């Protein structure tokens, strides 16, 4: 099922300023910061920054995201979704962006918890964002499911890329959806 059929994720790409390409929309009604209420996530501070400059960093980032999803009370299936998306996004920053940073942040809204992943790199940017979000599109030796696949695994997804200046991907998954 495509993300636009489920109501999750970005629908296409939009221009935002000279050379900047964006897809998706920011989270609405979300509050940043450690969770202060609700379930097993009470008082959980899962904020972290992980460099993604080596193969070992990719593993460290996966472990940090897994730990954050566990502390926030995500189901095992949703833990796997978020870790898979984080892995794809971090690997893209490493391989295509020359390395970058993954920021992990807990969110809350009403009685639910969420996790925001922000992956930034200073690489060449994504020249064809619409294509990059399409299954089968690849600039390397992969299957071409990375960016589009990560989008489908998350509830909210936003890509901002400026050719020559890098890419920032923000993705959010909630426990209460």
């Amino acid at each position: 099922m495509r993300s636009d059929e489920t109501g999750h994720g970005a629908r296409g790409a939009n221009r935002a300023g000279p050379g900047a390409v964006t897809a998706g929309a920011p989270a609405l009604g979300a509050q940043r910061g450690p969770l202060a209420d609700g379930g097993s996530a009470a008082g959980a501070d899962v904020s972290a920054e992980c460099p993604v400059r080596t193969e070992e960093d990719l593993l460290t980032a996966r472990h940090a995201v897994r730990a954050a999803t566990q502390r926030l009370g995500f189901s095992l299936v949703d833990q796997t979704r978020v870790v898979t998306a984080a892995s794809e996004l971090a690997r893209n920053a490493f391989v295509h962006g020359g390395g970058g940073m993954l920021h992990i942040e807990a969110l809350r809204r009403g009685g639910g918890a969420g996790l925001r992943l922000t992956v930034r790199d200073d690489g060449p940017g994504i020249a064809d964002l619409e294509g990059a979000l399409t299954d089968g599109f690849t600039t390397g030796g992969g299957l071409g499911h990375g960016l589009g696949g990560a989008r489908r695994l998350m509830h909210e997804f936003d890509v901002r890329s400026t050719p020559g200046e890098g890419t920032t991907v923000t993705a959010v998954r909630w426990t209460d959806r």
Side-chain angles (χ1 to χ4, degrees), residues 62-87:
R62 285 179 60 94
H63 288 301
V65 171
R66 172 75 68 193
T69 60
Q70 290 171 336
R71 291 191 65 194
L72 292 171
F74 279 85
S75 70
L76 183 57
V77 171
D78 281 345
Q79 288 176 34
T80 303
R81 287 179 176 131
V82 176
V83 171
T84 300
S87 181

Side-chain angles (χ1 to χ4, degrees), residues 33-114:
L35 297 173
D37 60 353
S40 62
D45 184 9
V46 300
S47 295
E49 284 200 343
C50 302
V52 287
R53 303 202 182 284
T54 67
E55 289 281 340
E56 186 174 291
D57 289 344
L58 297 175
L59 184 59
T60 300
R62 285 179 60 94
H63 288 301
V65 171
R66 172 75 68 193
T69 60
Q70 290 171 336
R71 291 191 65 194
L72 292 171
F74 279 85
S75 70
L76 183 57
V77 171
D78 281 345
Q79 288 176 34
T80 303
R81 287 179 176 131
V82 176
V83 171
T84 300
S87 181
E88 291 292 340
L89 297 175
R91 180 161 291 285
N92 281 349
F94 172 64
V95 171
H96 302 291
M101 187 69 71
L102 165 65
H103 182 75
I104 303 165
E105 182 178 19
L107 304 173
R108 65 177 171 164
R109 68 169 183 202

Side-chain angles (χ1 to χ4, degrees), residues 4 13 28 34 43-44 46 48 56 72 80 87 93 95 99 106 110 119 125 132 144 148 150 156-157 161 163 166 177:
D4 58 344
L28 299 176
V46 300
E56 186 174 291
L72 292 171
T80 303
S87 181
V95 171
V119 181
E156 299 165 19
F157 195 86
S161 189
R177 279 180 92 168

